[in-house]
Every structure is written in C-alpha cells, then in structure tokens.
Amino acid sequence: MEDTGILENQHFSDIQKVISEWQVKIGEQVVRIRITLDNNGYYQFYTSHHYQSPELAGRVTSTNGNLGTETEALLAAERQIAGMYNPDDKKSTWIVNTSF
C-alpha cells in the first residue's frame, strides 16, 4: 500500500484503502461489496447485507480478512453472499450489515 503517513494520527486505529466497490443483485436483494487493502498489505471484503434463513443457526457471514489478492477477496464475498442462498426459501431474509 502506498505511504499512509499523511493519515498517521494518534486517534486512528486502522487505515484501509478502498480498492473497489461492486453491486450485485441476488433475487430481489441488492448487495454491495467493498474491497479494501489494509496497512499490512492484505485484502479485506465487506458486504452490505448478510443472508439469514430459518434453516440456519444464524446469518451467513465469513471472516473477511487477510486475503492475498483482490480476486480472492471478491471470491470470498461471492461465497458469503450466494453460498447458502436458496431462492425457494420464502422465509429467508437479508440482514443489513451495520458495519458496512
């Protein structure tokens, strides 16, 4: 990552550069994906929503950290969004990720 010295501040605990943002539609839900590069050189991903089905114990989330490339981060985000998605499950919901 480029020099982040300009952002060095005692109050900042983390610096990440936004590399890309994507938007996908799955069923009727629009989900946004944000890929960042942290100050250790790893790619992270964040999604705007998490899928939750009554058949699952909780919402579907993945750890989002320490990936080697932007492509790996996008693939991990795709797995999180679509991995357990069932278009026939009318009781499932999409939970807003308040950290996005």
Side-chain angles (χ1 to χ4, degrees):
M1 187 160 79
E2 61 200 56
D3 181 24
T4 58
I6 197 167
L7 293 176
E8 286 182 15
N9 184 292
Q10 66 182 5
H11 303 290
F12 294 166
S13 61
D14 187 30
I15 299 172
Q16 294 191 24
K17 180 178 181 179
V18 176
I19 300 300
S20 61
E21 287 197 354
W22 301 83
Q23 181 172 298
V24 298
K25 187 170 183 183
I26 183 165
E28 296 301 314
Q29 181 64 53
V30 173
V31 179
R32 292 174 48 212
I33 303 165
R34 181 178 299 135
I35 307 297
T36 64
L37 182 63
D38 68 21
N39 54 359
N40 294 312
Y42 291 109
Y43 290 85
Q44 315 293 331
F45 75 90
Y46 304 90
T47 60
S48 63
H49 294 75
H50 302 290
Y51 181 72
Q52 185 168 4
S53 170
E55 299 172 5
L56 303 172
R59 64 181 178 234
V60 177
T61 60
S62 300
T63 57
N64 63 344
N66 301 339
L67 299 159
T69 67
E70 180 181 6
T71 299
E72 288 176 8
L74 280 169
L75 288 170
E78 183 269 336
R79 283 190 300 272
Q80 176 179 294
I81 294 166
M84 299 299 287
Y85 176 70
N86 177 356
D88 298 324
D89 184 356
K90 304 304 179 197
K91 295 179 182 178
S92 63
T93 59
W94 288 94
I95 308 298
V96 174
N97 179 357
T98 57
S99 298
F100 187 81

